[in-house]
Amino acid sequence: MESAAALPAPLTILVGRDAEVRATVRLLITGHRLISLVGTAGSGKTRLAIAVGAAVRTPVWFADLTTMQVDDAAGFVLDAFAVARRPDLDAAGTLLATLGDGPALLVLDNCEHVTTQVADLAARLLDAAPALAVLVTSRQALGLPGETVAPVAPLDDETALRLFETRMFERTGRPLPDGHRAGAAAICRALDGLPLAVELAAARAALLSVPEVRRLLADRFRVLADAKAGGPEHHRTLRAALDWSYELLSPDKQALLRQLAVFQGGWSPAAAATLPAHGPGLLAALTERSLIDTTGAPRGRMLQTVAAYAAARLTEVPDEAAAARDAHARCYLDLAERAADGIRGPGQRDLLRMFTVEQDNLRAAMTWLSTRPGAEDLRLATALAPFLHFTGVYRQGRDWLSGALDRRPDAPAQLRAAAGAAAATLAMLDCDYPAAAALAELALGGSPGGPARGRLLTLLGCVERERADYRRSRRFLEEALTLYRDAGDAWGEGRAAQLAGATAWLSGDLAAAASLLDASLVAFRDLADDESVASTLTHLGAVAHFGGDQPGARRHLVGALDRFTELSFPEGIGWAQDLLGRVDLADSAVASAAERLRASLSIHRRVGDRWRSASVLEALAEARRRLGDPAHAAALLGAADVIRHEIGAPTPACELPARHATEEALHAELPGAAFDRAFRFGTRTGVDDLLDLAGTAGQLARA
């Protein structure tokens, strides 16, 4: 490579951009004469352009346009090259004469603030000099015909970590300690893999430590500055790099960028349109300037670093910040309430996907509304309860509802009753039966009757079912079934029948259970409620299993598990795996049973379902016994009893024969006091530790 106007000489090696260098050189070789390297602040565009210039075989002319403040782009470039204007030519003509007629590459760096002037210059140069190619770096494209835009994306996680390690080694002469690799990887992820940010973090870590830099990233713009580095300021500090982009925006674009910071995890076009600063074409303009990303259209997002910058800017205008957060919260409150109304129908899967995508925005809305006047936080917490049930986040929902109920004592009675019912449901799922019953009884006092009363009675029926008071459970559920039927509420009728069927099989009345569940299955199939269909199939699988029909049980349960998996419904997946494990035990497939039961236990414990966790531990005890580990089996029974005592729920009637059979077999296999010793060990050992001891008979025998 012949150097015409010398390329800057980097002091460090380029890391992780070999593919981009080769691709850009290939474009130049194959006749692409105008290439724009476009990316967000700190993505490494300049460093990449220098590497491309070093890799080509033609003369290279390099000009940094950072300080250009004039309209005469050609004149500025001539000054950068220290070339005097010829008296017989204008500035562009002089530049053309300087570049010559032969092949050459002109690199124009940092053009985002003068794109119009650079576009005009590039068009004239390329038209007049057929052998010339122009390589531009900018945060937005020039918009010329024939321009090839080459996006400069942040580094992937592995490459960003390699860059961090390389820069630390260059500064310290020592490799990154193995114990700090995970922390360094977390730093790189938090910085979106932006090379500038990663390099600055590595520089700080060389002086401080990786853990200390990770801790200080809460104030990333203060921490990530390198005052000793050379070059323009926006290449030396993260804040300056983003200030440079921000100050090039018009006031309306600045306002929208600030306000987009209220979103967490991205936004839909409809959600962005609710912001006060939103206007026609503004999102597209921010995308063109590499400040937001809409490649995952129709969803937009900002890099974490850009979002942190925008949020800092938003705090500078408190009234605007409050208006933006109010708009954001209203948007997601409306979305949640509309979704809650449709969750039990044919749109169920789409709504669950929506909740998964928007959960961070919904949490942010909840946090903001809890500080505002009115009862919108209570409305949002109530609307979110069904989704938190589906995703197994019972405790979060309970906290939101109890906090909002405490904050809004004067909210409308109907709203407080609905919130109380939602809180009671989540308390029951969390196995807090006294709280669930108390909340449901309280809500009954404000209930208008009909389906609303039916829902509360259904809940009380579930509480009593899990407490094994099957007579009271049936009474509540039968009254609820009548209320739903009289009101013409098909979904409520199907639900009450389903839960009454569950009470029946758990109590051992399999014939009644089958009749109720068959009716429920028909109702939910007509309503296209996938989750309820799957749950009913699960209960039918239980009826078949306890009735001795293992092939029929497996058929129902595999169908249920498939549906639950498609819905990503942890409670259902755990239930189906639990019952399939029991079917495997009945079929003497003991190793498969143990695997399924451990998977089920993991899910039930994660969501907080201690009632089913205890039952699964009892079934797993039988599997461990059959696998030749009786001491471990006895310890698992001890752990199950601790849970049952904590929640006040005995072993279900239909499971008692199996529990008793396991105990009798273990007493026969563990002589003397060995059973009691292992059982007591299980009562005082955490479940995680206990599961890790599978197969360690010697340790359990000595416990």
Side-chain angles (χ1 to χ4, degrees):
M1 187 277 295
E2 177 186 345
S3 180
L7 285 166
L11 298 177
T12 57
I13 63 171
L14 181 63
V15 176
R17 293 297 194 190
D18 293 348
E20 289 92 334
V21 172
R22 288 194 300 270
T24 308
V25 171
R26 192 178 305 116
L27 287 172
L28 291 167
I29 292 172
T30 55
H32 294 75
R33 299 179 58 217
L34 175 59
I35 302 172
S36 293
L37 301 177
V38 175
T40 193
S43 59
K45 301 179 293 295
T46 297
R47 192 69 176 79
L48 177 57
I50 293 170
V52 170
V56 300
R57 297 180 180 276
T58 57
V60 177
W61 300 77
F62 183 93
D64 180 359
L65 275 57
T66 299
T67 60
M68 179 177 161
Q69 301 292 335
V70 297
D71 290 334
D72 183 8
F76 184 89
V77 173
L78 286 173
D79 290 343
F81 295 162
V83 173
R85 292 165 178 77
R86 283 176 44 171
D88 57 327
L89 297 172
D90 63 7
T94 302
L95 182 56
L96 280 165
T98 302
L99 296 171
D101 296 330
L105 175 64
L106 174 62
V107 180
L108 300 176
D109 189 32
N110 294 306
C111 300
E112 49 273 339
H113 59 304
V114 286
T115 53
T116 300
Q117 298 92 319
V118 171
D120 291 342
L121 175 62
R124 178 168 176 185
L125 295 177
L126 292 169
D127 183 59
L132 177 69
V134 177
L135 179 63
V136 168
T137 76
S138 178
R139 297 177 192 182
Q140 68 180 98
L142 300 182
L144 284 176
E147 177 184 21
T148 299
V149 177
V152 182
L155 301 174
D156 61 44
D157 290 349
E158 182 179 348
T159 308
L161 179 58
R162 183 153 54 89
L163 174 62
F164 186 98
E165 291 179 300
T166 302
R167 295 297 183 255
M168 271 203 72
F169 183 82
E170 289 168 350
R171 287 188 174 243
T172 66
R174 299 186 302 275
L176 180 68
D178 288 342
H180 286 175
R181 284 181 60 82
I187 290 171
C188 294
R189 286 193 299 273
L191 297 174
D192 308 295
L194 286 172
L196 172 62
V198 171
E199 293 194 354
L200 293 171
R204 283 298 186 207
L207 294 173
L208 304 171
S209 69
V210 169
E212 184 68 4
V213 170
R214 187 179 181 187
R215 185 183 68 81
L216 293 172
L217 277 187
D219 188 5
R220 64 184 67 194
F221 300 113
R222 182 180 65 82
V223 174
L224 301 183
D226 191 352
K228 295 181 181 179
E233 185 184 4
H234 66 269
H235 286 181
R236 292 189 285 112
T237 75
L238 192 59
R239 174 79 189 208
L242 289 161
D243 281 342
W244 173 257
S245 290
Y246 182 78
E247 288 160 6
L248 294 175
L249 299 175
S250 58
D252 56 346
K253 297 182 186 72
Q254 289 180 344
L256 182 58
L257 181 68
R258 291 193 299 267
Q259 293 179 25
L260 286 170
V262 302
F263 290 102
Q264 304 297 311
W267 59 83
S268 67
T274 65
L275 294 175
H278 185 271
L282 294 182
L283 284 173
L286 293 177
T287 302
E288 290 168 1
R289 288 158 176 79
S290 304
L291 286 165
I292 64 174
D293 180 11
T294 56
T295 54
R299 192 164 184 81
R301 62 181 290 271
M302 282 193 284
L303 295 176
Q304 294 180 64
T305 298
V306 178
Y309 177 85
R313 285 289 192 172
L314 187 61
T315 62
E316 297 170 1
V317 275
D319 290 345
E320 178 186 319
R325 295 189 188 283
D326 282 342
H328 172 273
R330 285 193 300 270
C331 169
Y332 285 98
L333 171 60
D334 178 65
L335 180 67
E337 289 183 330
R338 286 188 286 109
D341 288 341
I343 190 62
R344 292 297 181 180
Q348 186 176 80
R349 295 187 187 191
D350 289 340
L351 290 173
L352 288 172
R353 280 192 289 269
M354 177 278 297
F355 176 79
T356 299
V357 169
E358 298 291 6
Q359 57 185 314
D360 290 340
N361 278 312
L362 291 163
R363 288 191 179 95
M366 189 70 219
T367 299
W368 176 251
L369 289 174
S370 68
T371 69
R372 307 296 279 170
E376 282 77 9
D377 57 337
L378 190 56
R379 288 170 54 194
L380 182 56
T382 304
L384 290 178
F387 295 96
L388 297 171
H389 174 193
F390 269 104
T391 53
V393 191
Y394 311 144
R395 176 60 57 180
Q396 176 72 84
R398 292 185 67 188
D399 290 345
W400 281 346
L401 283 160
S402 63
L405 283 165
D406 288 345
R407 285 190 298 272
R408 314 301 178 190
D410 299 325
Q414 188 172 352
L415 173 58
R416 286 186 60 83
T425 298
L426 292 174
M428 188 275 297
L429 293 167
D430 203 29
C431 301
D432 186 350
Y433 303 124
L439 286 163
E441 294 285 1
L442 183 63
L444 274 173
S447 168
R453 180 177 175 82
R455 281 189 284 276
L456 293 165
L457 292 171
T458 298
L459 174 62
L460 287 169
C462 291
V463 169
E464 298 306 332
R465 179 194 71 219
E466 297 194 5
R467 284 170 160 171
D469 190 338
Y470 302 117
R471 181 177 290 107
R472 278 173 60 82
S473 176
R474 277 194 297 272
R475 187 164 68 247
F476 284 128
L477 291 166
E478 286 168 359
E479 183 181 349
L481 189 59
T482 299
L483 287 170
Y484 285 129
R485 187 176 292 132
D486 290 346
D489 186 332
W491 186 87
E493 187 176 348
R495 182 68 165 168
Q498 179 200 78
L499 296 173
T503 294
W505 73 257
L506 283 162
S507 70
D509 189 350
L510 301 182
S515 176
L516 288 161
L517 292 167
D518 284 341
S520 173
L521 186 62
V522 170
F524 288 134
R525 281 178 169 158
D526 288 344
L527 293 166
D529 183 340
D530 282 346
E531 182 276 321
S532 294
V533 168
S535 291
T536 306
L537 288 172
T538 302
H539 293 302
L540 284 167
V543 171
H545 164 64
F546 287 103
D549 178 11
Q550 306 312 323
R554 192 177 298 277
R555 185 176 64 255
H556 286 312
L557 293 168
V558 168
L561 181 59
D562 288 345
R563 281 181 161 85
F564 286 138
T565 301
E566 290 175 5
L567 293 168
S568 299
F569 183 31
E571 177 190 329
I573 294 170
W575 255 105
Q577 290 282 39
D578 168 2
L579 289 164
L580 280 167
R582 295 168 192 271
V583 171
D584 283 343
L585 277 176
D587 288 342
S588 298
V590 183
S592 173
E595 184 178 348
R596 286 189 186 276
L597 290 167
R598 285 195 65 144
S600 171
L601 181 62
S602 175
I603 293 171
H604 286 310
R605 294 185 67 226
R606 176 164 56 84
V607 302
D609 188 345
R610 290 171 289 167
W611 179 62
R612 289 316 303 165
S613 292
S615 284
V616 175
L617 283 168
E618 290 166 346
L620 184 58
E622 175 61 15
R624 294 304 309 165
R625 184 192 73 79
R626 294 198 206 175
L627 289 170
D629 197 354
H632 190 242
L636 292 172
L637 291 180
D641 277 11
V642 169
I643 295 173
R644 294 205 179 282
H645 177 74
E646 288 173 349
I647 65 176
T651 301
C654 66
E655 297 172 8
L656 273 175
R659 162 78 192 234
H660 291 157
T662 299
E663 285 187 5
E664 289 174 8
L666 288 173
H667 278 292
E669 294 173 23
L670 293 171
F675 174 86
D676 290 340
R677 189 162 53 245
F679 184 93
R680 286 195 301 272
F681 181 81
T683 64
R684 62 177 186 268
T685 304
V687 172
D688 286 332
D689 292 337
L690 199 56
L691 292 173
D692 289 340
L693 292 173
T696 56
Q699 183 171 347
L700 285 167
R702 294 190 299 271

